[in-house]
Amino acid sequence: MQKVRDFIKFVVRPVPLFTLGMFPIIIKGTSLINALLLGLAFAISAFAVSAVSAFASKIFSKQLMPAVCVLAGAVAVCLVGFIFTKLSVFDMYTLGAVLPLTAVDPLIVTGLVRQNEKESVSGAFINAAVFSAAFFAVVLIVSAVREFLYTGAIFGLTVLDESHRISSAVMPFFGIIMLGLAAAFVAWVSDKMRRRRDAERNIGYDN
């Protein structure tokens, strides 16, 4: 039993979860269609995680809640994906093995789960909607850029000829680069906004 507990503690640490959580965007974030499917899968996982964190927080310990939420999100997205595929609504299983990994996204594990610790049920679902929108914005931009660089087309209109296209844009390492650039951009914007708020606050104190 001690080995099982040690394994669970290792799995729910940030680094292993972050690595798994980046896989969906790195591997499948290569087209607008995939971006829509990934956004839908993330939203399903986020709302499932919010429901579990709201109702099961008193049952499981704080250390186990991330693992419980991840498992619930993975099961929910696979189940909904199966239903959608059978009903021919969306073929979410084109995402393959990365489909359940959307529940391991860092936004869910270290963001949503912790954010929902002191939230009501309605607040937890609002957080799920906000986090889903943030994820979709990132995956949409990353996927659109990679698809454009690979195909040279925007909404079916060819802009780049074959000599200017980047065939490696759909490779996993390019996805890592894109995620790094996106993270740097978000950090830059956040820093700019923080400095502006601090400057406005200082001006208010001076007056």
Side-chain angles (χ1 to χ4, degrees):
M1 287 299 295
Q2 185 60 39
K3 290 184 178 180
V4 174
R5 293 193 187 97
D6 292 340
F7 177 75
I8 293 175
K9 289 180 180 179
F10 170 78
V11 171
V12 299
R13 286 177 181 174
V15 173
L17 289 174
F18 275 28
T19 304
L20 287 173
M22 291 188 297
F23 274 12
I25 298 180
I26 292 172
I27 297 176
K28 289 294 184 178
T30 56
S31 66
L32 291 176
I33 295 298
N34 283 356
L36 294 174
L37 293 176
L38 285 171
L40 178 60
F42 181 93
I44 295 169
S45 298
F47 278 95
V49 165
S50 293
V52 171
S53 62
F55 293 108
S57 58
K58 296 180 180 180
I59 301 175
F60 299 97
S61 65
K62 188 176 180 179
Q63 290 75 20
L64 282 179
M65 275 305 296
V68 173
C69 289
V70 164
L71 180 61
V75 171
V77 74
C78 288
L79 180 60
V80 174
F82 175 77
I83 295 172
F84 280 176
T85 301
K86 285 296 182 180
L87 295 177
S88 300
V89 179
F90 297 108
D91 188 5
M92 295 183 67
Y93 277 85
T94 57
L95 296 178
V98 305
L99 180 61
L101 292 182
T102 53
V104 199
D105 191 276
L107 279 175
I108 288 181
V109 178
T110 62
L112 191 59
V113 174
R114 293 180 181 177
Q115 191 77 16
N116 289 342
E117 287 179 355
K118 298 181 180 180
E119 290 283 0
S120 62
V121 177
S122 60
F125 286 128
I126 291 173
N127 288 336
V130 172
F131 276 73
S132 296
F135 175 87
F136 182 68
V138 172
V139 73
L140 186 66
I141 294 172
V142 170
S143 300
V145 171
R146 293 175 74 183
E147 183 178 28
F148 170 69
L149 294 176
Y150 180 70
T151 64
I154 301 177
F155 299 112
L157 179 63
T158 301
V159 178
L160 298 176
D161 56 37
E162 292 187 9
S163 61
H164 293 90
R165 297 174 191 175
I166 303 176
S167 59
S168 60
V170 294
M171 300 295 290
F173 79 88
F174 202 91
I176 296 174
I177 294 173
M178 288 295 302
L179 276 179
L181 292 175
F185 177 75
V186 170
W188 177 75
V189 172
S190 299
D191 183 63
K192 286 287 185 181
M193 293 176 64
R194 180 183 57 79
R195 291 185 180 183
R196 179 175 295 182
R197 286 195 301 267
D198 292 343
E200 291 175 352
R201 189 180 297 112
N202 291 333
I203 293 174
Y205 288 151
D206 293 338
N207 293 334

